[in-house]
Structure formats: C-alpha cells, structure tokens
Amino acid sequence: MSFAVSSAFAQTQNLPASTDTTEKKHFPYAAACEDVKAQSQILLNLQHQLNQNPKQHAQIREDFWKRVELIGTPIIENYDEQHSRIVFLWKGAQHNVRLIGGPSNDHEWLTRLPNTDIWFKESIIDHRYIGSYSFAVDLPNLEGYLSNYCPHLNPKLKESRMQRRAVIQVQRIDPFNKKTYLASDDTSGLRNENLVALKDAPSFIDPKQYPNVHQPQLQEFVLDSKILNNSRKIQIYQSKAKKNQSYITAIFFDGQQYNELLNVPKALDILVEQGQLPPIQAIFVSPPNDQERPKELTPNTKFSAFFSDD
C-alpha cells in the first residue's frame, strides 16, 4: 500500500479495557505545549494580525477558519525545490491534540497557538509524499506522566501500549479535508482516516476504486510452530500470473488486519493489473492472540527464528 498504514484502521470497539472513565479521573489531561513556534507563512501572518489587533481576536480567528474551510487542509507551502512545509490544523480542542500517522507515522503532538482555538503541527517533507492521518483530540492521561509532554522537556518519556492505544477512543478525522480512506457514510465500524498527496506523489490506489474490483480469494491454514510452541492462522494470496511466471513474496504480520481491515489483497490485485507490480504472493501471518502479539513483535531471537525457519 502507498499509505502510512501501520498506525491505523483498527476497529473502534477493540479498546483496552483499562481506559474507562474511573481511571481517567485519576490524572489530568496533558497540558497545551506552547513552546513550539509556528514557521509557516499562514500562521505567522495570523499571529501578526492578532498582535496588531488585540480587540478583534474573535473576528480574526473566525475569518481564519473560514479561509481554512475554503482552501482545505492540510496547508501545503512550498519550501524549496524538493520539499514542502505541511501544516496540520485542528480547531477547538480543550486540552491537547495528537496527529495519528502523517509524515512520521507516529502519534505526534500539536501545539496550541497561544490564546486561540488553533492547534498546529508543521513538518518539512518531500514533494513526493503520500500518506494518511487522523487526530486524537483531548487524549486522557491514563498514567500521570503526560502532564508535560513537550518533547524538548523530556525526550526520554516512553508511553505504554495502553496509553498509545487510548488514541482510538478519541480519534477524529480532519473536518477540513474531504479526502478520506472510507466514505463519509461508511457503516463498517472501522476507523476512517484522511488522505494527503503532494504534487509529485506517485499514482496510488484510491480506496474508492475497491467496490468495482472483484474480491480475491485466499487460502487459509493453521501454522504450528515448534520454535514458539503455539499455533496461528495464516492466509495466502496469489495474484494472477502467466504460465511459468514466478512470484515475488511479501509477508504481513498483523495479517488479519492487513487482509480484512485494509483489504491489501484487493490493492495488490489492482497494482498487478496496472503493471505496477509483478505477480506477487502475500502471506498474512496473524498472532495467536492479543496477549502474545507484543511479546512476539518485540525483537527477540525466537521470533526471528520463526520468521526464517517456520
């Protein structure tokens, strides 16, 4: 897939049991970090207007959001011959905002422009960039250490899996970007995300093409591992190939999610049909269960042996 997919598209009902309302009361929300200075022209112009007209803040902010709604987000500004500045924006959060996905494919914090309802995250990226993103808005602080999240204040902070997964319950798509992975009226219950492609981005598979493409059939097996002493489901996809053509092979961990949630087999079919990929077989390898997954996918010699031998 051409999208930054590893952060995304989990089913919304699969939340960690520990993110309940009782636990949220124990800790404050992460505070707004205002030490990051805006560099983009659109935000510098806005700050200048606000500084020059302190009695007109409300009207200036309203005019700003009207302009954003008109031009759409994220804002793209030319930086140099090879790079653009991309500006992600969110309106009106009370406590904090995180960018899910985006150029880093991580959970990066947005900064609130002081004394406004404007949250922003800027990055310098290649003109060829293509990716997906969404936001986590007013993320609860489940473990107490997020009260000061500014990266330059404590770069050694490391989140637990529980805290990182908490973004799922407060995930939102960008209301100023009409390009989304799923249709606005989708009823699948899957997480939606916004798409962004810069001017030199390669051609990609638009998910809106999916309904017009036949669903590939996969073979399904149970793989027993003596190395890991467990069993798991694997699913194998093969694209069409001419006689005597060989396949390249791709292996996807979190296989069921890539197969069923992202529908990678259909994307591969489209890419092969378009001649952008040679004949390919994909092996979708699922973990035995949610408890074993983090143990296996943390680097370890047994799982490396499973990958190379089993």
Side-chain angles (χ1 to χ4, degrees):
M1 295 282 290
S2 299
F3 311 115
V5 296
S6 62
S7 66
F9 312 116
Q11 289 176 295
T12 55
Q13 60 268 35
N14 291 339
L15 302 177
S18 55
T19 58
D20 58 21
T21 54
T22 302
E23 194 161 272
K24 289 181 203 174
K25 294 178 182 178
H26 293 319
F27 302 112
Y29 286 89
C33 177
E34 296 182 343
D35 293 339
V36 178
K37 305 301 182 184
Q39 302 295 320
S40 62
Q41 196 60 53
I42 190 171
L43 293 180
L44 290 175
N45 291 343
L46 174 64
Q47 284 186 315
H48 178 73
Q49 283 185 287
L50 293 170
N51 293 338
Q52 294 296 314
N53 305 279
K55 294 183 179 181
Q56 300 178 31
H57 273 206
Q59 186 62 52
I60 292 171
R61 293 197 305 271
E62 183 179 347
D63 291 343
F64 171 80
W65 285 118
K66 285 181 179 178
R67 182 185 175 196
V68 168
E69 185 173 14
L70 182 66
I71 62 180
T73 52
I75 307 296
I76 309 296
E77 297 179 350
N78 193 60
Y79 184 76
D80 60 27
E81 291 184 359
Q82 292 185 320
H83 300 90
S84 297
R85 175 181 281 112
I86 187 169
V87 187
F88 296 93
L89 296 171
W90 184 265
K91 179 183 180 181
Q94 295 298 309
H95 302 284
N96 58 63
V97 186
R98 295 185 82 167
L99 177 67
I100 307 173
S104 73
N105 197 28
D106 201 349
H107 298 173
E108 294 196 87
W109 298 92
L110 276 68
T111 299
R112 184 168 64 87
L113 207 63
N115 303 312
T116 74
D117 60 353
I118 299 161
W119 296 78
F120 70 93
K121 171 64 183 176
E122 300 179 344
S123 298
I124 305 300
I125 55 175
D126 194 289
H127 291 324
R128 297 170 294 178
Y129 173 76
I130 180 174
S132 62
Y133 71 96
S134 59
F135 296 103
V137 181
D138 290 332
L139 180 70
N141 186 358
L142 302 182
E143 298 164 320
Y145 74 91
L146 287 180
S147 56
N148 231 326
Y149 66 83
C150 303
H152 63 284
L153 296 180
N154 193 347
K156 296 181 180 179
L157 287 179
K158 182 173 176 61
E159 291 178 274
S160 69
R161 175 173 169 78
M162 178 180 70
Q163 181 66 62
R164 284 186 68 81
R165 282 184 59 81
V167 301
I168 298 173
Q169 68 183 131
V170 291
Q171 184 261 355
R172 304 285 187 272
I173 60 172
D174 185 347
F176 300 110
N177 182 354
K178 295 181 180 180
K179 296 179 181 178
T180 55
Y181 189 86
L182 301 173
S184 58
D185 59 351
D186 181 78
T187 58
S188 66
L190 306 181
R191 280 178 53 193
N192 204 354
E193 289 210 343
N194 297 97
L195 305 178
V196 56
L198 269 58
K199 61 181 183 180
D200 293 333
S203 58
F204 65 101
I205 303 304
D206 188 335
K208 293 182 177 61
Q209 296 177 12
Y210 281 19
N212 302 321
V213 178
H214 176 72
Q215 184 64 42
Q217 296 298 310
L218 277 66
Q219 296 177 288
E220 189 170 305
F221 303 92
V222 174
L223 176 62
D224 297 315
S225 173
K226 293 183 179 179
I227 296 173
L228 297 176
N229 193 30
N230 59 28
S231 301
R232 73 195 62 232
K233 179 170 71 173
I234 64 168
Q235 297 158 299
I236 298 178
Y237 156 87
Q238 286 188 328
S239 66
K240 295 179 181 178
K242 297 178 181 178
K243 189 175 182 180
N244 298 325
Q245 271 190 309
S246 60
Y247 288 96
I248 61 171
T249 299
I251 299 176
F252 292 82
F253 296 112
D254 288 327
Q256 188 169 355
Q257 282 71 30
Y258 277 104
N259 174 27
E260 298 176 10
L261 297 186
L262 288 176
N263 207 342
V264 167
K266 187 171 280 193
L268 295 176
D269 255 10
I270 296 172
L271 289 167
V272 172
E273 181 68 26
Q274 292 179 347
Q276 298 189 60
L277 278 180
I280 183 171
Q281 60 184 0
I283 305 173
F284 298 93
V285 183
S286 298
N289 52 57
D290 289 341
Q291 291 70 41
E292 290 298 313
R293 179 189 180 277
K295 299 176 185 177
E296 292 187 345
L297 296 185
T298 300
N300 65 83
T301 55
K302 280 192 173 182
F303 196 75
S304 296
F306 164 76
F307 175 70
S308 61
D309 298 336
D310 283 346

